[in-house]
Amino acid sequence: MAIELSNLSFSYGTSLEKPLLDIPEWSVGDGEQVFIHGPSGSGKSTLLNLLSGILTPNKGCVSVMGQSLGDLSSRQRDRFRANHVGYIFQQFNLIPYLDAIDNVRLAIHFSKKSTNSDSSADIKALLATFDINESHWEKPVSTLSIGQQQRIAIARAMINKPELLIADEPTSSLDQKNRDIFMGELLELVKRQKTSLLFVSHDMSLASYFNRVDALSDINQAGGRA
Ligand code: ADP
Ligand code: MG
């Protein structure tokens, strides 16, 4: 299983208040692509932070690629995330003054693959896959379009060939045309590499890209706090 949650409970406040998330049982199979939708404030980003080990649950178990995150120290969780999980954020989180190649190289630096001598060829091949033209490889990413920046963010998330890719509303700042390009390239790559994908958004129109669509309100017994 790529993801297994059991008896998960999480709240930002005291344990006395109603939890934000209360998920008895939920899982994503290896190589499966899943879309979770829910309104703003319903706990989507919180769930993703629990899955990547940035937050820890008050109760219950989070297991990723068969590894129970609760059995790892916070340093071990950081290492585990760098080696097994790719993350695409709403706001890309690229380093604006670095070029595309160096932004992608950063992800390699944080993983165990960092001992490889030179990864430039791999990086360039991946950027080309995402239609980032050679003339854009060595420009500060802040000078590129939003659509290009978001495709560089996928390249960064995928360069270490993670088994699991997590995407947190990555299309919200893209226009319709760039959104369609982004979704097409993302889904093609994860299917080819048999990467499990968990994609969350409030935007139900993205559901058509996925075979499996879950409402957070169906998974979450606490029903969110929207
Ligand atoms: P979504 O991603 O679905 O918009 P979030 O997971 O970001 O929802 O937030 C869910 C709820 O948790 C919201 O009510 C939000 O205000 C609250 N929340 C998010 N982050 C924190 C935090 N660091 N501390 C306290 N409350 C938070
Ligand atoms: Mg969010």
Side-chain angles (χ1 to χ4, degrees):
M1 284 287 176
I3 298 172
E4 277 181 286
L5 303 180
S6 60
N7 300 314
L8 178 101
S9 174
F10 177 83
S11 118
Y12 284 106
T14 65
S15 54
L16 293 173
E17 84 185 60
K18 183 172 170 266
L20 171 66
L21 294 173
D22 175 4
I23 303 179
E25 207 79 68
W26 188 75
S27 62
V28 173
D30 289 332
E32 194 172 20
Q33 285 96 40
V34 181
F35 179 68
I36 294 186
H37 61 93
S40 176
S42 59
K44 301 182 298 297
S45 296
T46 303
L47 174 62
L48 298 187
N49 285 332
L50 287 161
L51 288 170
S52 61
I54 293 166
L55 293 172
T56 52
N58 302 99
K59 268 189 277 175
C61 182
V62 178
S63 165
V64 175
M65 309 312 303
Q67 170 69 57
S68 168
L69 299 186
D71 293 342
L72 302 178
S73 68
S74 99
R75 180 182 271 267
Q76 286 171 323
R77 284 200 305 275
D78 288 346
R79 170 97 12 109
F80 182 81
R81 186 185 325 118
N83 289 327
H84 300 281
V85 182
Y87 218 110
I88 309 177
F89 302 90
Q90 193 164 1
Q91 299 301 338
F92 327 154
N93 293 34
L94 298 176
I95 311 289
Y97 52 85
L98 293 181
D99 67 24
I101 292 176
D102 285 341
N103 265 285
V104 177
R105 204 192 305 277
L106 269 182
I108 302 180
H109 174 75
F110 285 114
S111 81
K112 63 179 176 225
K113 285 140 196 153
S114 62
T115 48
N116 287 0
S117 49
D118 187 21
S119 42
S120 300
D122 291 345
I123 296 172
K124 288 172 182 174
L126 195 55
L127 289 172
T129 304
F130 287 111
D131 287 334
I132 306 297
N133 194 283
E134 185 165 359
S135 62
H136 292 127
W137 289 349
E138 294 181 9
K139 289 185 180 156
V141 293
S142 57
T143 65
L144 304 181
S145 75
I146 298 298
Q148 287 168 328
Q149 291 185 44
Q150 193 55 306
R151 298 204 301 282
I152 293 167
I154 319 183
R156 183 183 58 181
M158 292 299 289
I159 188 70
N160 294 321
K161 297 198 166 56
E163 292 99 325
L164 173 64
L165 179 64
I166 288 175
D168 191 353
E169 313 221 33
T171 61
S172 34
S173 43
L174 302 180
D175 58 26
Q176 173 91 38
K177 176 169 162 270
N178 276 299
R179 201 195 71 175
D180 291 342
I181 296 172
F182 176 90
M183 291 306 292
E185 290 178 350
L186 177 68
L187 269 299
E188 192 195 307
L189 185 72
V190 295
K191 283 176 185 167
R192 191 168 68 228
Q193 296 194 356
K194 300 188 170 53
T195 311
S196 308
L197 171 65
L198 178 58
F199 187 113
V200 306
S201 178
H202 69 278
D203 182 359
M204 259 309 273
S205 70
L206 298 170
S208 60
Y209 287 96
F210 295 83
N211 291 326
R212 181 171 157 201
V213 177
D214 288 354
L216 183 57
S217 56
D218 288 341
I219 303 166
N220 180 19
Q221 303 294 303
R225 223 197 252 162

